[in-house]
Amino acid sequence: MNQPRIGVVGATGYAGVELIRILSRHPLLKITYLAAQKLEQSETYGHKISAFRQFGELPALEPFDLERCLDLCDLVFLALPSGISGRLALQIHHAGKKVIDLSGDLRLPKEVYESWYGLASPLTQKDTHAVYGLSDWQAEQIANQSLISNPGCYATAALLSLLPLCQTKLVESQSVWVVDAKSGSTGAGKSPQPHLLLSELSNNFYPYRVGCHQHTPEIEQKLQEESKQADLQIQLTTQLLPIPRGILVSAYIPLCSTISFTDLYEIYQNAYHDTPFVSILPCGEWPQIQSVLGANTCHIALHVDNRTQMLQIFAVIDNLQKGAAGQAVQNMNLMLGWPMETGLSLIGSAP
Ligand SMILES: NC(=O)c1ccc[n+]([C@@H]2O[C@H](COP(=O)([O-])OP(=O)(O)OC[C@H]3O[C@@H](n4cnc5c(N)ncnc54)[C@H](OP(=O)(O)O)[C@@H]3O)[C@@H](O)[C@H]2O)c1
């Protein structure tokens, strides 16, 4: 069989570069199209992104052109800003190509998207929802699909931490789940912003978008769907760490019945027994961002506090890998009928 021809649009952004880092080592495909926006003309990828300087087998980087993209690709990754990405994703999909959209544009119903993102939704009445690509949770729903909406980075860490609770009777039905989330600065993309300057961010640590972070409805939507509790809410706090990559989520959940660590551990192990990418840490071990950097992995730790009747759940991911490019490649593998770990064997780079 011919190798599928793969394109990346947004190839110079943080998520796009990480995609190309993974795809360029993937054994079953051919990268045929790389595009971005601020280019006068085509140039070699290694000239633009110096980490690829010695890697001469990539196509030239071009200003985006829809016709060329459709001519040259069977499957396209879109790593573009929200507000641009979803509209293109639908155009490329309507032209018969497979698409994985890394933006938030196709993750939510129209009205919800518009109120949280403050942008016009690209979805029209006739557009069906893209399939939500939380690949470690719902691999079967992603297999053989042609339009995937890749989850947000905070949403991935939060949902992998919390979803196994949804089918248990451990949690108060109308409780608010507290999700305290911290990210490195690449989560904000590469466009220059004053609060991301070295002098603002180094030796600093602060919350942002309190009460209005756009991943809130994405997380609630999935938790409500899986728990069948339409009123389940989260209290999300997003914070910026003075590091380039990585996310740590700490979740605090009130319990309505007691459970031992061993039983909770078993629930989590069972939830993720089909994926090599999610590890549940043994009792008393706590996850570290450093252990997952550069890898498509998620480490989760659990603590049952019998004194306060609370669960504490911690998860770490690399926002550019499991939170973006790694998960997107895992989704591609599922869409194309390949083992989901193909091309994703990178191990975390600690220290
Ligand atoms: N960063 C993360 O951790 C992360 C995690 C999960 C999901 N995501 C999502 O992934 C998407 C990309 O994020 P990012 O952090 O990689 O952003 P980024 O660093 O700002 O990169 C954006 C990319 O899009 C290109 N671009 C912008 N407008 C374009 C247009 N009209 N036509 C063609 N290319 C265009 C840019 O090219 P030029 O430089 O030439 O303009 C650049 O290559 C976003 O939707 C983001 O929400 C990001």
Side-chain angles (χ1 to χ4, degrees):
M1 192 182 95
N2 288 340
Q3 291 186 317
R5 300 167 306 154
I6 307 295
V8 178
V9 184
T12 55
Y14 287 154
V17 171
E18 195 72 6
L19 268 168
I20 296 156
R21 203 164 80 85
I22 302 171
L23 293 170
S24 57
R25 298 160 61 110
H26 195 291
L28 301 178
L29 54 80
K30 190 167 172 51
I31 302 175
T32 48
Y33 185 66
L34 299 178
Q37 180 187 219
K38 295 187 200 110
L39 302 165
E40 297 290 311
Q41 57 193 33
S42 299
E43 54 181 295
T44 62
Y45 194 65
H47 185 247
K48 185 80 176 174
I49 308 292
S50 62
F52 289 79
R53 198 161 284 277
Q54 291 87 354
F55 199 87
E57 295 158 29
L58 291 170
L61 182 64
E62 314 178 12
F64 177 70
D65 178 84
L66 182 60
E67 288 309 314
R68 265 188 74 71
C69 178
L70 295 176
D71 274 355
L72 290 173
C73 304
D74 302 311
L75 183 148
V76 182
F77 291 92
L78 295 178
L80 301 174
S82 294
I84 300 171
S85 206
R87 182 178 46 81
L88 272 184
L90 294 174
Q91 281 180 315
I92 296 169
H93 184 245
H94 287 156
K97 307 295 179 177
K98 293 182 191 296
V99 179
I100 300 172
D101 178 23
L102 276 76
S103 83
D105 288 353
L106 305 177
R107 297 180 198 147
L108 296 167
K110 187 175 172 63
E111 305 72 40
V112 182
Y113 174 85
E114 291 182 350
S115 74
W116 284 85
Y117 280 74
L119 296 167
S121 168
L123 292 172
T124 62
Q125 294 300 343
K126 70 177 167 45
D127 289 313
T128 50
H129 256 303
V131 174
Y132 191 59
L134 191 69
S135 42
D136 296 298
W137 184 255
Q138 50 191 43
E140 282 169 19
Q141 281 139 273
I142 295 160
N144 302 316
Q145 293 291 337
S146 56
L147 177 61
I148 295 292
S149 178
N150 218 55
C153 47
Y154 283 123
T156 298
L159 287 170
L160 291 177
S161 317
L162 298 173
L163 281 168
L165 294 177
C166 286
Q167 282 138 11
T168 70
K169 303 255 181 282
L170 289 170
V171 185
E172 303 274 2
S173 60
Q174 287 179 333
S175 56
V176 176
W177 296 5
V178 174
V179 180
D180 176 87
K182 305 172 180 77
S183 174
S185 57
T186 53
K190 69 165 195 176
S191 47
Q193 300 173 61
H195 71 285
L196 300 176
L197 290 170
L198 179 70
S199 37
E200 303 291 333
L201 193 56
S202 66
N203 295 319
N204 207 354
F205 174 40
Y206 51 83
Y208 68 102
R209 291 200 197 161
V210 174
C212 60
H213 195 280
Q214 70 276 14
H215 290 179
T216 308
E218 180 183 337
I219 299 168
E220 286 183 346
Q221 172 177 270
K222 189 73 191 147
L223 292 174
Q224 289 166 359
E225 184 188 311
E226 296 285 334
S227 66
K228 303 198 172 37
Q229 288 178 33
D231 48 3
L232 200 163
Q233 291 185 308
I234 60 160
Q235 188 74 54
L236 176 67
T237 308
T238 47
Q239 295 146 89
L240 206 48
L241 291 167
I243 57 175
R245 311 178 167 217
I247 287 178
L248 167 65
V249 158
S250 312
Y252 305 91
I253 315 291
L255 283 168
C256 64
S257 58
T258 52
I259 185 165
S260 66
F261 173 86
T262 310
D263 289 346
L264 186 66
Y265 183 82
E266 196 178 319
I267 289 169
Y268 273 73
Q269 284 283 34
N270 287 340
Y272 295 116
H273 73 276
D274 280 340
T275 170
F277 297 118
V278 181
S279 297
I280 315 303
L281 302 189
C283 188
E285 278 189 32
W286 312 114
Q288 299 190 20
I289 284 176
Q290 204 182 47
S291 318
V292 295
L293 293 183
N296 183 45
T297 48
C298 174
H299 291 180
I300 297 175
L302 309 164
H303 177 63
V304 184
D305 197 316
N306 290 319
R307 187 180 65 86
T308 57
Q309 278 293 292
M310 297 281 286
L311 278 183
Q312 283 168 281
I313 306 172
F314 305 96
V316 290
I317 62 168
D318 180 333
N319 55 296
L320 293 177
Q321 278 273 336
K322 174 56 73 194
Q327 179 152 242
V329 172
Q330 193 176 341
N331 281 322
M332 175 197 68
N333 288 336
L334 291 164
M335 291 163 84
L336 298 178
W338 298 331
M340 68 173 155
E341 59 271 36
T342 315
L344 287 168
S345 56
L346 284 173
I347 292 169
S349 63

Short mmCIF file of all heavy atoms in Angstrom, two decimals, residues 99-141:
data_model
loop_
_atom_site.label_atom_id
_atom_site.label_comp_id
_atom_site.label_asym_id
_atom_site.label_seq_id
_atom_site.Cartn_x
_atom_site.Cartn_y
_atom_site.Cartn_z
N VAL A 99 -8.83 14.92 8.46
CA VAL A 99 -8.34 16.13 9.12
C VAL A 99 -8.26 15.92 10.64
O VAL A 99 -9.17 15.32 11.24
CB VAL A 99 -9.28 17.33 8.85
CG1 VAL A 99 -8.77 18.58 9.57
CG2 VAL A 99 -9.42 17.60 7.36
N ILE A 100 -7.17 16.42 11.22
CA ILE A 100 -7.07 16.50 12.68
C ILE A 100 -6.83 17.97 13.02
O ILE A 100 -5.82 18.56 12.61
CB ILE A 100 -5.92 15.62 13.21
CG1 ILE A 100 -6.18 14.16 12.82
CG2 ILE A 100 -5.78 15.78 14.73
CD1 ILE A 100 -5.03 13.22 13.11
N ASP A 101 -7.79 18.56 13.73
CA ASP A 101 -7.71 19.98 14.06
C ASP A 101 -7.27 20.14 15.52
O ASP A 101 -7.96 19.66 16.43
CB ASP A 101 -9.09 20.62 13.85
CG ASP A 101 -9.09 22.09 14.22
OD1 ASP A 101 -8.00 22.70 14.21
OD2 ASP A 101 -10.16 22.63 14.52
N LEU A 102 -6.14 20.81 15.71
CA LEU A 102 -5.63 20.98 17.08
C LEU A 102 -6.25 22.18 17.81
O LEU A 102 -6.03 22.35 19.00
CB LEU A 102 -4.10 21.12 17.09
CG LEU A 102 -3.33 19.79 17.06
CD1 LEU A 102 -3.34 19.17 15.69
CD2 LEU A 102 -1.89 19.97 17.54
N SER A 103 -7.00 22.99 17.11
CA SER A 103 -7.56 24.18 17.76
C SER A 103 -8.80 23.83 18.56
O SER A 103 -9.28 22.69 18.54
CB SER A 103 -7.93 25.21 16.69
OG SER A 103 -9.21 24.92 16.15
N GLY A 104 -9.35 24.86 19.24
CA GLY A 104 -10.58 24.65 20.01
C GLY A 104 -11.85 24.78 19.17
O GLY A 104 -12.95 24.61 19.70
N ASP A 105 -11.71 25.05 17.86
CA ASP A 105 -12.87 25.48 17.08
C ASP A 105 -13.97 24.44 16.93
O ASP A 105 -15.13 24.80 16.73
CB ASP A 105 -12.42 25.89 15.66
CG ASP A 105 -11.67 27.21 15.67
OD1 ASP A 105 -11.61 27.87 16.72
OD2 ASP A 105 -11.15 27.59 14.60
N LEU A 106 -13.62 23.16 16.95
CA LEU A 106 -14.63 22.13 16.67
C LEU A 106 -14.95 21.29 17.91
O LEU A 106 -15.57 20.24 17.81
CB LEU A 106 -14.16 21.23 15.53
CG LEU A 106 -13.79 21.94 14.22
CD1 LEU A 106 -13.28 20.96 13.18
CD2 LEU A 106 -14.98 22.72 13.67
N ARG A 107 -14.51 21.77 19.08
CA ARG A 107 -14.69 20.94 20.28
C ARG A 107 -16.03 21.14 20.96
O ARG A 107 -16.42 20.33 21.79
CB ARG A 107 -13.59 21.26 21.31
CG ARG A 107 -12.19 20.93 20.85
CD ARG A 107 -11.18 21.29 21.92
NE ARG A 107 -9.86 21.39 21.38
CZ ARG A 107 -8.93 22.24 21.81
NH1 ARG A 107 -9.19 23.05 22.83
NH2 ARG A 107 -7.73 22.26 21.26
N LEU A 108 -16.70 22.25 20.65
CA LEU A 108 -17.89 22.63 21.43
C LEU A 108 -19.05 22.96 20.50
O LEU A 108 -18.84 23.41 19.38
CB LEU A 108 -17.57 23.88 22.25
CG LEU A 108 -16.49 23.74 23.32
CD1 LEU A 108 -16.07 25.11 23.83
CD2 LEU A 108 -16.99 22.87 24.48
N PRO A 109 -20.29 22.81 21.00
CA PRO A 109 -21.44 23.30 20.21
C PRO A 109 -21.31 24.80 19.96
O PRO A 109 -20.67 25.51 20.75
CB PRO A 109 -22.64 23.01 21.12
CG PRO A 109 -22.16 22.02 22.12
CD PRO A 109 -20.68 22.21 22.27
N LYS A 110 -21.93 25.24 18.88
CA LYS A 110 -21.80 26.62 18.40
C LYS A 110 -21.97 27.68 19.50
O LYS A 110 -21.09 28.52 19.71
CB LYS A 110 -22.84 26.82 17.29
CG LYS A 110 -22.77 28.11 16.54
CD LYS A 110 -23.79 28.06 15.41
CE LYS A 110 -23.93 29.38 14.70
NZ LYS A 110 -22.71 29.83 14.02
N GLU A 111 -23.08 27.61 20.25
CA GLU A 111 -23.37 28.69 21.21
C GLU A 111 -22.35 28.67 22.36
O GLU A 111 -21.93 29.71 22.85
CB GLU A 111 -24.78 28.54 21.82
CG GLU A 111 -25.93 28.47 20.83
CD GLU A 111 -25.98 27.16 20.07
OE1 GLU A 111 -25.72 26.10 20.69
OE2 GLU A 111 -26.22 27.18 18.84
N VAL A 112 -22.01 27.49 22.80
CA VAL A 112 -21.05 27.37 23.92
C VAL A 112 -19.70 27.91 23.46
O VAL A 112 -19.05 28.70 24.16
CB VAL A 112 -20.91 25.89 24.37
CG1 VAL A 112 -19.98 25.78 25.56
CG2 VAL A 112 -22.27 25.30 24.69
N TYR A 113 -19.26 27.50 22.26
CA TYR A 113 -17.99 27.98 21.72
C TYR A 113 -17.97 29.51 21.66
O TYR A 113 -17.02 30.16 22.10
CB TYR A 113 -17.77 27.39 20.32
CG TYR A 113 -16.55 27.95 19.62
CD1 TYR A 113 -15.28 27.40 19.84
CD2 TYR A 113 -16.65 29.04 18.74
CE1 TYR A 113 -14.15 27.93 19.20
CE2 TYR A 113 -15.54 29.56 18.11
CZ TYR A 113 -14.29 29.00 18.34
OH TYR A 113 -13.19 29.53 17.71
N GLU A 114 -19.04 30.07 21.12
CA GLU A 114 -19.04 31.52 20.90
C GLU A 114 -19.02 32.28 22.22
O GLU A 114 -18.37 33.32 22.34
CB GLU A 114 -20.25 31.90 20.02
CG GLU A 114 -20.02 31.37 18.62
CD GLU A 114 -21.09 31.70 17.60
OE1 GLU A 114 -22.16 32.21 18.00
OE2 GLU A 114 -20.85 31.44 16.40
N SER A 115 -19.67 31.74 23.26
CA SER A 115 -19.67 32.49 24.51
C SER A 115 -18.33 32.36 25.26
O SER A 115 -17.93 33.29 25.94
CB SER A 115 -20.86 32.10 25.39
OG SER A 115 -20.64 30.85 25.95
N TRP A 116 -17.63 31.25 25.11
CA TRP A 116 -16.35 31.10 25.83
C TRP A 116 -15.15 31.61 25.04
O TRP A 116 -14.18 32.09 25.61
CB TRP A 116 -16.11 29.64 26.22
CG TRP A 116 -16.96 29.22 27.39
CD1 TRP A 116 -18.24 28.77 27.35
CD2 TRP A 116 -16.59 29.24 28.78
NE1 TRP A 116 -18.69 28.49 28.62
CE2 TRP A 116 -17.70 28.76 29.52
CE3 TRP A 116 -15.44 29.59 29.48
CZ2 TRP A 116 -17.70 28.64 30.90
CZ3 TRP A 116 -15.41 29.46 30.87
CH2 TRP A 116 -16.54 29.00 31.57
N TYR A 117 -15.19 31.49 23.71
CA TYR A 117 -14.04 31.91 22.90
C TYR A 117 -14.19 33.34 22.38
O TYR A 117 -13.20 33.95 21.95
CB TYR A 117 -13.84 30.95 21.70
CG TYR A 117 -13.12 29.67 22.07
CD1 TYR A 117 -13.77 28.67 22.79
CD2 TYR A 117 -11.79 29.45 21.73
CE1 TYR A 117 -13.13 27.49 23.14
CE2 TYR A 117 -11.13 28.27 22.07
CZ TYR A 117 -11.80 27.30 22.77
OH TYR A 117 -11.16 26.14 23.12
N GLY A 118 -15.42 33.86 22.39
CA GLY A 118 -15.64 35.21 21.86
C GLY A 118 -15.36 35.29 20.36
O GLY A 118 -14.98 36.33 19.84
N LEU A 119 -15.51 34.17 19.67
CA LEU A 119 -15.28 34.11 18.22
C LEU A 119 -16.50 33.47 17.57
O LEU A 119 -17.25 32.74 18.24
CB LEU A 119 -14.06 33.20 17.93
CG LEU A 119 -12.69 33.65 18.45
CD1 LEU A 119 -11.69 32.49 18.36
CD2 LEU A 119 -12.19 34.84 17.64
N ALA A 120 -16.68 33.72 16.27
CA ALA A 120 -17.78 33.07 15.56
C ALA A 120 -17.43 31.60 15.33
O ALA A 120 -16.33 31.28 14.87
CB ALA A 120 -18.02 33.77 14.23
N SER A 121 -18.34 30.71 15.64
CA SER A 121 -18.08 29.28 15.41
C SER A 121 -18.13 28.98 13.92
O SER A 121 -19.00 29.50 13.21
CB SER A 121 -19.15 28.44 16.13
OG SER A 121 -19.07 27.10 15.70
N PRO A 122 -17.23 28.12 13.44
CA PRO A 122 -17.29 27.74 12.02
C PRO A 122 -18.39 26.72 11.74
O PRO A 122 -18.67 26.42 10.59
CB PRO A 122 -15.92 27.12 11.77
CG PRO A 122 -15.50 26.58 13.09
CD PRO A 122 -16.10 27.49 14.13
N LEU A 123 -19.01 26.17 12.79
CA LEU A 123 -20.00 25.10 12.58
C LEU A 123 -21.31 25.69 12.05
O LEU A 123 -21.79 26.71 12.54
CB LEU A 123 -20.28 24.36 13.89
CG LEU A 123 -19.14 23.52 14.44
CD1 LEU A 123 -19.48 23.02 15.83
CD2 LEU A 123 -18.84 22.34 13.52
N THR A 124 -21.88 25.06 11.04
CA THR A 124 -23.20 25.44 10.54
C THR A 124 -24.15 24.31 10.90
O THR A 124 -23.74 23.28 11.44
CB THR A 124 -23.18 25.61 9.01
OG1 THR A 124 -22.85 24.34 8.45
CG2 THR A 124 -22.17 26.65 8.56
N GLN A 125 -25.43 24.50 10.58
CA GLN A 125 -26.43 23.48 10.93
C GLN A 125 -26.06 22.11 10.35
O GLN A 125 -26.26 21.09 10.98
CB GLN A 125 -27.81 23.89 10.38
CG GLN A 125 -28.39 25.13 11.04
CD GLN A 125 -28.57 24.96 12.55
OE1 GLN A 125 -28.57 23.85 13.05
NE2 GLN A 125 -28.69 26.07 13.26
N LYS A 126 -25.50 22.11 9.11
CA LYS A 126 -25.27 20.80 8.48
C LYS A 126 -23.96 20.14 8.93
O LYS A 126 -23.74 18.97 8.65
CB LYS A 126 -25.34 20.91 6.96
CG LYS A 126 -24.21 21.66 6.28
CD LYS A 126 -24.44 21.59 4.77
CE LYS A 126 -23.60 22.52 3.95
NZ LYS A 126 -22.20 22.66 4.24
N ASP A 127 -23.10 20.89 9.60
CA ASP A 127 -21.85 20.27 10.04
C ASP A 127 -22.11 19.40 11.27
O ASP A 127 -22.65 19.87 12.26
CB ASP A 127 -20.83 21.34 10.43
CG ASP A 127 -20.31 22.07 9.21
OD1 ASP A 127 -19.96 21.39 8.25
OD2 ASP A 127 -20.30 23.31 9.26
N THR A 128 -21.75 18.15 11.15
CA THR A 128 -21.83 17.31 12.34
C THR A 128 -20.60 17.63 13.20
O THR A 128 -19.61 18.14 12.71
CB THR A 128 -21.79 15.82 11.96
OG1 THR A 128 -20.68 15.64 11.09
CG2 THR A 128 -23.08 15.40 11.30
N HIS A 129 -20.69 17.33 14.45
CA HIS A 129 -19.55 17.51 15.33
C HIS A 129 -18.36 16.66 14.89
O HIS A 129 -18.53 15.54 14.47
CB HIS A 129 -19.92 17.03 16.73
CG HIS A 129 -20.19 18.15 17.66
ND1 HIS A 129 -19.25 19.11 17.91
CD2 HIS A 129 -21.25 18.45 18.41
CE1 HIS A 129 -19.76 19.96 18.77
NE2 HIS A 129 -20.99 19.59 19.09
N ALA A 130 -17.18 17.22 15.00
CA ALA A 130 -15.99 16.38 14.84
C ALA A 130 -15.95 15.42 16.04
O ALA A 130 -16.49 15.71 17.10
CB ALA A 130 -14.76 17.27 14.84
N VAL A 131 -15.30 14.29 15.84
CA VAL A 131 -15.14 13.35 16.96
C VAL A 131 -14.06 13.89 17.90
O VAL A 131 -13.00 14.34 17.44
CB VAL A 131 -14.75 11.95 16.43
CG1 VAL A 131 -14.45 10.99 17.58
CG2 VAL A 131 -15.87 11.41 15.55
N TYR A 132 -14.33 13.87 19.19
CA TYR A 132 -13.39 14.39 20.18
C TYR A 132 -12.26 13.37 20.36
O TYR A 132 -12.51 12.21 20.71
CB TYR A 132 -14.14 14.62 21.50
CG TYR A 132 -13.37 15.38 22.54
CD1 TYR A 132 -12.90 16.68 22.30
CD2 TYR A 132 -13.12 14.83 23.79
CE1 TYR A 132 -12.21 17.38 23.26
CE2 TYR A 132 -12.44 15.53 24.77
CZ TYR A 132 -11.98 16.81 24.50
OH TYR A 132 -11.30 17.51 25.46
N GLY A 133 -11.03 13.82 20.13
CA GLY A 133 -9.91 12.88 20.05
C GLY A 133 -9.16 12.64 21.35
O GLY A 133 -7.92 12.74 21.36
N LEU A 134 -9.87 12.29 22.40
CA LEU A 134 -9.17 11.94 23.65
C LEU A 134 -8.77 10.47 23.54
O LEU A 134 -9.46 9.57 24.01
CB LEU A 134 -10.07 12.20 24.86
CG LEU A 134 -9.37 12.12 26.22
CD1 LEU A 134 -8.39 13.29 26.39
CD2 LEU A 134 -10.38 12.13 27.35
N SER A 135 -7.64 10.25 22.90
CA SER A 135 -7.34 8.92 22.35
C SER A 135 -7.11 7.84 23.40
O SER A 135 -7.37 6.66 23.14
CB SER A 135 -6.15 9.01 21.40
OG SER A 135 -5.16 9.84 21.95
N ASP A 136 -6.65 8.19 24.59
CA ASP A 136 -6.44 7.15 25.60
C ASP A 136 -7.75 6.74 26.26
O ASP A 136 -7.81 5.71 26.93
CB ASP A 136 -5.46 7.64 26.67
CG ASP A 136 -4.09 7.88 26.07
OD1 ASP A 136 -3.50 6.92 25.56
OD2 ASP A 136 -3.66 9.04 26.04
N TRP A 137 -8.79 7.56 26.07
CA TRP A 137 -10.08 7.25 26.71
C TRP A 137 -11.05 6.59 25.74
O TRP A 137 -11.84 5.74 26.12
CB TRP A 137 -10.69 8.54 27.27
CG TRP A 137 -11.96 8.32 28.02
CD1 TRP A 137 -13.23 8.62 27.58
CD2 TRP A 137 -12.11 7.74 29.31
NE1 TRP A 137 -14.14 8.26 28.53
CE2 TRP A 137 -13.49 7.72 29.61
CE3 TRP A 137 -11.21 7.24 30.26
CZ2 TRP A 137 -13.99 7.21 30.81
CZ3 TRP A 137 -11.70 6.74 31.45
CH2 TRP A 137 -13.08 6.72 31.72
N GLN A 138 -11.00 6.98 24.47
CA GLN A 138 -12.03 6.50 23.54
C GLN A 138 -11.46 6.13 22.18
O GLN A 138 -11.93 6.62 21.15
CB GLN A 138 -13.13 7.54 23.40
CG GLN A 138 -12.64 8.94 23.10
CD GLN A 138 -13.77 9.95 23.24
OE1 GLN A 138 -14.56 9.89 24.17
NE2 GLN A 138 -13.86 10.86 22.28
N ALA A 139 -10.47 5.25 22.21
CA ALA A 139 -9.80 4.84 20.97
C ALA A 139 -10.80 4.27 19.96
O ALA A 139 -10.71 4.55 18.76
CB ALA A 139 -8.72 3.82 21.28
N GLU A 140 -11.78 3.51 20.45
CA GLU A 140 -12.71 2.86 19.51
C GLU A 140 -13.54 3.87 18.75
O GLU A 140 -13.90 3.66 17.59
CB GLU A 140 -13.65 1.91 20.26
CG GLU A 140 -12.97 0.62 20.61
CD GLU A 140 -13.79 -0.22 21.58
OE1 GLU A 140 -14.99 0.02 21.71
OE2 GLU A 140 -13.18 -1.10 22.22
N GLN A 141 -13.89 4.99 19.41
CA GLN A 141 -14.71 6.00 18.72
C GLN A 141 -13.91 6.78 17.68
O GLN A 141 -14.48 7.41 16.80
CB GLN A 141 -15.32 6.97 19.73
CG GLN A 141 -16.53 6.40 20.43
CD GLN A 141 -16.54 6.72 21.91
OE1 GLN A 141 -15.97 6.00 22.71
NE2 GLN A 141 -17.19 7.80 22.26
#
